[in-house]
Amino acid sequence: MGAGGGARRPVHPGYSNAGLEAFNNRIKVTIRMAYGFHHVINLIALVMLRCGGLDIRLPQPAI
């Protein structure tokens, strides 16, 4: 491999890191949303809420 900095081959052919990149992007967006939080604990809680896989449903009004 040269020093040109080209694209590297994946470790396992046929797999990509798209899922990891999407997860990383979601965390970065959450950090931008949390700008201005006074405590890092609140940021960590927000990241865990958004990326933790919980499906929180808000109450719906009865029709």
Side-chain angles (χ1 to χ4, degrees):
M1 294 200 148
R8 295 182 181 209
R9 292 182 302 153
V11 176
H12 301 287
Y15 294 98
S16 73
N17 64 342
L20 184 61
E21 290 295 330
F23 189 70
N24 187 32
N25 187 42
R26 189 172 186 131
I27 290 176
K28 287 182 179 183
V29 168
T30 304
I31 289 171
R32 283 195 301 263
M33 285 175 46
Y35 181 77
F37 279 13
H38 293 286
H39 303 286
V40 73
I41 298 296
N42 296 339
L43 167 64
I44 293 170
L46 185 61
V47 168
M48 291 177 74
L49 253 174
R50 293 203 64 214
C51 301
L54 278 178
D55 187 25
I56 299 175
R57 304 263 181 199
L58 296 176
Q60 298 293 323
I63 297 178

